[in-house]
Amino acid sequence: MRTLAAALLFAAIALPAQAQVKPDDAIRYRQSAFQVLVWNWAPMGAMVRGRVPFDAKAFTQGATRVQQISAMLLEGFPAGTEKGSLQTAAKPEIWRNQADFQKKMKDFEAAVGQLVTVARSGDEAAMKAQFAKTSESCKACHDRYKAD
């Protein structure tokens, strides 16, 4: 009974806090999350493009980390955080087309999940092919929702 009461109390405290996210906090969160994602994504891209030797273990580690990060990205785009005092590349269309934006983000998460599965197989050609598919999923969102 105490556990249920504690959970309900936590939920009651957490919900109003989430509803009052400051735009600059959300902007910092999402920019940081994307920076960590790119930190792990870029070495895989370098391997796929032949700029560095292919390392299946490092590729799999990067894919796994990107999967973990991708699951956290959407929470950086709550309603009312499209404008703050910080510069952002997030277009206002994200908040006008939430259903489509969320679908594209979920599609990316699914593609990354497939990338992890393929990476664990150790098949270099399959890893490179799935990396290209995952990149296209990423690009679909950037094309519509990220300012250059």
Side-chain angles (χ1 to χ4, degrees):
M1 190 61 145
R2 280 187 180 168
T3 305
L4 177 61
L8 291 173
L9 178 62
F10 176 75
I13 293 169
L15 286 177
Q18 286 180 351
Q20 299 172 7
V21 172
K22 294 176 184 173
D24 286 352
D25 291 340
I27 292 168
R28 279 187 204 93
Y29 174 87
R30 61 184 177 246
Q31 288 176 345
S32 296
F34 279 109
Q35 186 172 3
V36 172
L37 188 144
V38 170
W39 178 266
N40 289 279
W41 184 262
M44 291 187 298
M47 286 181 229
V48 167
R49 291 174 187 84
R51 294 182 184 147
V52 299
F54 197 87
D55 178 338
K57 183 178 177 183
F59 188 98
T60 302
Q61 179 182 24
T64 302
R65 288 178 177 174
V66 168
Q67 181 183 37
Q68 293 164 342
I69 299 159
S70 71
M72 297 184 284
L73 296 175
L74 267 175
E75 61 191 81
F77 295 89
T81 64
E82 60 271 26
K83 291 183 182 178
S85 66
L86 301 174
Q87 188 172 3
T88 178
K91 290 182 177 179
E93 286 83 353
I94 290 171
W95 291 272
R96 289 192 284 249
N97 302 312
Q98 267 294 304
D100 182 62
F101 176 72
Q102 289 181 12
K103 181 186 180 313
K104 284 183 176 16
M105 293 291 280
K106 292 295 182 183
D107 290 347
F108 176 68
E109 281 184 58
V112 172
Q114 187 61 36
L115 181 63
V116 170
T117 299
V118 171
R120 289 180 179 152
S121 76
D123 181 338
E124 183 178 333
M127 293 159 86
K128 289 178 177 181
Q130 185 59 41
F131 183 87
K133 289 178 188 175
T134 306
S135 294
E136 286 301 315
S137 175
C138 189
K139 185 179 180 316
C141 201
H142 282 223
D143 286 348
R144 183 146 188 207
Y145 297 112
K146 183 176 184 259
D148 292 328

